[in-house]
Amino acid sequence: MKHLSAALVGLTLWVAPLAAQEATIEDVITGQLQAFRDRDVDAAWQYASPTIKRIFRTPETFGGMVRNGYPMVWDNADARFLDQQATGGRTRQEVQIKGPDGLFYILDYQMVMTPEGWQIDAVQVIPAPDMMS
């Protein structure tokens, strides 16, 4: 029985990283958006790339930046995935989300593949084009 338990633990440790690598870009972004809606900054932090983690150093600092600088991400709703483009070692994913002000925003997520799978390396708000009447 001890050997079976050890084998199951070993299999779990081997499969968990594999499952993380199989998460799609959409899964990662959706997971982080849900974590922000749940106010679970620690969970949202897990989707951030090593570069983001070096810059912000703690989940709390990261969460404060998102809360203050990206209110449409902090209080997001109705995410829709748009264009995706691979360039070099990054993949860019455009996402339309509804912010707390009821407006829709297009965000450009820059994604990187790491040993843990896809992670979010940067997010930029794409400015809306000037509308002429």
Side-chain angles (χ1 to χ4, degrees):
M1 191 53 112
K2 281 185 180 179
H3 297 295
L4 180 59
S5 295
L8 289 175
V9 169
L11 181 60
T12 301
L13 293 174
W14 179 76
V15 171
L18 182 60
Q21 289 180 5
E22 290 178 4
T24 67
I25 286 173
E26 289 185 17
D27 294 336
V28 171
I29 295 170
T30 299
Q32 189 180 65
L33 290 172
Q34 182 63 52
F36 283 128
R37 281 194 305 273
D38 294 342
R39 301 299 186 253
D40 188 346
V41 176
D42 289 331
W45 177 252
Q46 299 309 310
Y47 296 100
S49 72
T51 301
I52 296 298
K53 290 177 179 175
R54 274 192 305 276
I55 292 168
F56 294 101
R57 299 183 187 228
T58 69
E60 294 76 21
T61 304
F62 173 68
M65 179 276 298
V66 172
R67 185 175 50 255
N68 296 320
Y70 294 85
M72 73 290 290
V73 173
W74 184 255
D75 284 314
N76 68 84
D78 195 23
R80 296 176 192 262
F81 291 86
L82 306 174
D83 294 334
Q84 186 180 100
Q85 181 181 11
T87 54
R90 293 176 179 240
T91 298
R92 299 172 71 150
Q93 174 69 59
E94 289 183 358
V95 180
Q96 175 185 293
I97 59 173
K98 186 176 182 181
D101 53 9
L103 299 176
F104 286 90
Y105 296 85
I106 305 292
L107 302 172
D108 178 22
Y109 278 80
Q110 295 180 28
M111 307 295 294
V112 293
M113 178 57 80
T114 70
E116 288 77 35
W118 286 108
Q119 292 187 317
I120 300 167
D121 200 43
V123 178
Q124 295 178 328
V125 179
I126 299 175
D130 290 333
M131 303 300 273
M132 300 197 58
S133 53

